[in-house]
Amino acid sequence: MKSDEIRDILLKTTFRYGKASMGVPVGEISRVEFAAMQVIRRFQKEHPDAGGISAAQLAGELYCSPPALSRILRELEEKGLVLRETDPENRRKARIRLTGKGEEARRKGCALAAAYFDGVLARMGEEKMLQFLSLWKELVEIMENNEA
């Protein structure tokens, strides 16, 4: 197979994956809101005394710009899923944490996504899935490091 054919298949498959992954159920929140809530929860679990994650840390984890993160946080706050509070050590910064309602929505999203992926795994098989994930991880690392 020629390299231009391989590139074409890679590009088409990448776009198809993006479109297909939009269908992963996470409840009544958007996928990006779910992703943000997952990062916030992981940070809270790893740093229980920190009072929440900073906006800069959250933006870095989500690979999004500060304006995009601001929109995401505003929506999550309006839904009562996160709290943004002033950092007592640096009043110019905020700490973000999940509310009880946010944790409940996150858990529901996890359960829905887990059921979806369990079905995908059952159809693909564990051995093939592990091979695929290993190769996919390697591909992403190469792309991130621009070694292609």
Side-chain angles (χ1 to χ4, degrees):
M1 190 176 285
K2 296 178 183 174
S3 64
D4 60 334
E5 293 172 314
I6 294 171
R7 281 193 309 270
D8 188 49
I9 292 169
L10 178 60
L11 188 60
K12 285 179 181 176
T13 305
T14 301
F15 283 126
R16 285 181 61 206
Y17 170 78
K19 193 172 185 178
S21 69
M22 295 294 287
V24 176
V26 292
E28 298 177 14
I29 55 177
S30 72
R31 285 183 37 242
V32 71
E33 290 171 338
F34 177 72
M37 293 168 64
Q38 286 287 86
V39 171
I40 294 166
R41 174 63 182 113
R42 186 182 73 235
F43 185 88
Q44 286 179 197
K45 189 174 181 182
E46 293 171 359
H47 308 278
D49 298 328
I53 190 170
S54 73
Q57 289 170 304
L58 184 55
E61 289 280 332
L62 294 173
Y63 300 97
C64 73
S65 67
L69 179 64
S70 184
R71 284 190 299 276
I72 295 165
L73 290 175
R74 185 173 54 250
E75 291 171 15
L76 288 170
E77 282 181 300
E78 287 172 1
K79 294 176 182 179
L81 303 175
V82 300
L83 287 176
R84 249 192 290 199
E85 298 176 328
T86 303
D87 185 335
E89 295 178 16
N90 185 344
R91 301 196 56 77
R92 293 176 292 162
K93 293 183 179 183
R95 291 281 172 193
I96 303 145
R97 59 185 173 87
L98 293 178
T99 63
K101 183 178 176 183
E103 177 58 21
E104 182 180 321
R106 188 197 67 79
R107 280 191 194 139
K108 181 179 178 184
C110 285
L112 291 168
Y116 175 86
F117 285 117
D118 285 348
V120 170
L121 178 59
R123 290 184 64 193
M124 184 144 192
E126 184 177 339
E127 185 177 334
K128 284 173 64 179
M129 182 62 83
L130 290 172
Q131 289 172 335
F132 167 73
L133 291 173
S134 176
L135 291 170
W136 189 21
K137 180 181 175 190
E138 184 179 345
L139 173 66
V140 170
E141 288 171 356
I142 290 169
M143 292 172 74
E144 285 177 337
N145 294 319
N146 203 18
E147 296 175 6

